[in-house]
Amino acid sequence: MPHLFRFLFVHVALGALVGWLFLAILLGFDTGGLWTLISHSSTPLLPLALLAAFFALTFGGAVTASGVLLSAEEGDEPPIGPKRRRRRRRRLMALPSLSPRPAPRPAVAVAGARRRPRIHDMDELHRG
């Protein structure tokens, strides 16, 4: 059996067992009166089978997904072609630098003036 199929089968089976264990705990503690409702039903096998199937599917999928996501080893990166590598390098070089820059000085508008006001112009504004 190929490694991938064995990996998926083991994780699905493990997830199904965890799901059935969780279902047994729910039914054993009679959470929300679930076991009472099923046991007093005219056909108790149908809800049990549905619950078991869907718990197995849900938990099996969750355990398989977590197994796939956690299976990558550190340093495993997908191969990158030369064009994509150049694009990434250009993008990294285009990032703004994080060095501090001086804050721009606020401009004060003087009526009729086209140049930036100087300190003595400000004194004249306050006097006048």
Side-chain angles (χ1 to χ4, degrees), residues 6-76:
R6 185 175 52 229
F7 177 82
L8 291 176
F9 179 74
V10 166
H11 281 80
V12 168
L14 185 66
L17 289 175
V18 170
W20 291 335
L21 178 67
F22 188 68
L23 177 63
I25 291 171
L26 283 178
L27 293 176
F29 284 114
D30 199 19
T31 306
L34 186 63
W35 175 248
T36 307
L37 186 65
I38 291 173
S39 64
H40 290 103
S41 172
S42 60
T43 56
L45 290 180
L46 180 64
L48 279 177
L50 286 173
L51 281 171
F54 285 111
F55 268 75
L57 281 172
T58 302
F59 282 84
V63 169
T64 303
S66 65
V68 168
L69 291 175
L70 295 175
S71 68
E73 295 178 7
E74 194 168 325
D76 285 351

